[in-house]
Amino acid sequence: MGPCAGGAVYSPAMTDFIFMVDHTSYMFVTGPEVVKTVTNETVTKEELGGASVHAGGKSGVAHGSYPNDVAALRAMRTLLDYLPSSNDPATLPVRPVTDDPNRSVPSLDQLVPDDPNMPYDMKDVIRDVLDHGSMFEIQPENAKNIVTAFGRMEGRTVGVVGNNPMTLAGCLDIGASEKAARFVRFCDAFNIPIITFVDVPGFLPGTGQEHGGIIRHGAKLLFAYAEATVPKITIISRKAYGGAYDVMASKHLRGDANYAWPGAEIAVMGAKGAVEIIFRGKVSDKWPVLQ
């Protein structure tokens, strides 16, 4: 809720979840004065380590930001309501089942577009599946191309991971891999089952990703799913292409149950990309183009 500087920042960094309050919470190893002295860079506390930095999608250090202390404390209580008191499965909270597990959800027929290039919000799919549409999202402003959240099914806590086509078409990148890997490891440590919604066209290409170590960071998510011993259920809603498909709790990573939407695609790559590779250099400009 207030400032945290120097070596003290590693105390919250070693915890599972960090909440910050807008304009009053700050975390940085060296403050603005030291930065000014060493680098001659002028920066405010908010710009250096405020909630907008750590919970706003830049550093990914914090897991949520809130407008005031009361909102932050209420969010903390909501989060704790989903969590067990230890890694003993017997301490997992169970709530009365008031949402019929056999209920029909007609909206799911319309949420995933037939057009493979049309985006949709995976959060809408997740809410329709969970009890009463209630979910508590972790790091909602960081790596928006993947969703990590807690919810309930039949009154029991579950962890949910899902690619979100609304951002970067749902591609996996460095930030998404780290965010999801940490969440999966937490769920595994506390015996929380994991549900994964997959709509991923692949890893995000580019020199920035390659130079930033996407291979190393992507491996973190692969390893997190591979070593997880909690129940793992995977639903492929549309695309599941290439190495990103393998990483997202595929059967090859010991997924316990894997389901697919009627129009789901599982492939090394999309049809257009495959045709361009197979027929590269073989297509003549003189050939008629089929419309």
Side-chain angles (χ1 to χ4, degrees):
M1 296 179 181
C4 184
V9 298
Y10 293 108
S11 293
M14 294 177 65
T15 62
D16 294 308
F17 299 100
I18 301 173
F19 290 172
M20 298 184 72
V21 178
D22 296 337
H23 309 300
T24 62
S25 296
Y26 309 106
M27 287 196 300
F28 35 69
V29 177
T30 55
E33 294 81 7
V34 177
V35 172
K36 175 67 173 177
T37 302
V38 176
T39 68
N40 199 33
E41 180 183 3
T42 301
V43 64
T44 66
K45 291 182 179 179
E46 180 66 28
E47 294 170 339
L48 184 62
S52 61
V53 173
H54 294 310
K58 294 182 180 179
S59 73
V61 171
H63 298 81
S65 63
Y66 302 90
N68 52 59
D69 294 358
V70 174
L73 291 173
R74 285 177 175 170
M76 180 191 68
R77 293 180 62 177
T78 302
L79 173 62
L80 290 175
D81 194 45
Y82 286 99
L83 304 182
S85 57
S86 71
N87 64 347
D88 184 351
T91 65
L92 278 170
V94 180
R95 299 289 177 262
V97 180
T98 56
D99 190 352
D100 183 5
N102 296 315
R103 62 180 165 85
S104 174
V105 188
S107 59
L108 289 178
D109 290 334
Q110 308 296 328
L111 282 177
V112 180
D114 293 330
D115 184 350
N117 297 318
M118 183 177 293
Y120 64 95
D121 196 341
M122 185 63 82
K123 296 178 188 178
D124 293 334
V125 177
I126 295 171
R127 290 191 185 98
D128 276 354
V129 172
L130 296 176
D131 286 358
H132 299 293
S134 177
M135 59 181 264
F136 187 89
E137 190 172 358
I138 303 299
Q139 292 188 310
E141 298 300 321
N142 181 49
K144 293 183 178 181
N145 44 326
I146 201 161
V147 179
T148 52
F150 292 108
R152 290 192 178 89
M153 296 192 74
E154 296 194 35
R156 298 178 182 271
T157 298
V158 295
V160 182
V161 180
N163 307 110
N164 196 344
M166 292 295 291
T167 302
L168 297 176
C171 283
L172 286 178
D173 62 357
I174 292 172
S177 298
E178 288 194 326
K179 171 182 172 179
R182 180 184 175 93
F183 183 79
V184 169
R185 289 198 303 268
F186 177 87
C187 290
D188 185 46
F190 287 89
N191 288 293
I192 299 173
I194 302 169
I195 302 173
T196 305
F197 290 87
V198 181
D199 187 346
V200 60
F203 282 95
L204 184 67
T207 55
Q209 292 292 306
E210 297 295 347
H211 296 175
I214 183 61
I215 297 173
R216 173 167 51 90
H217 294 290
K220 294 178 182 178
L221 181 54
L222 186 149
F223 185 77
Y225 271 122
E227 73 165 352
T229 58
V230 295
K232 292 177 287 189
I233 299 175
T234 304
I235 301 98
I236 301 171
S237 61
R238 192 164 61 177
K239 301 175 186 174
Y241 291 166
Y245 154 65
D246 286 326
V247 169
M248 290 296 296
S250 65
K251 292 183 70 173
H252 317 295
L253 294 182
R254 299 188 304 166
D256 296 295
N258 295 68
Y259 301 97
W261 236 257
E265 302 175 4
I266 303 174
V268 174
M269 62 180 66
K272 184 176 183 296
V275 169
E276 289 176 351
I277 291 176
I278 294 172
F279 294 97
R280 181 181 298 165
K282 298 180 181 179
V283 178
S284 172
D285 294 338
K286 299 178 181 180
W287 292 3
V289 178
L290 297 179
Q291 298 295 334

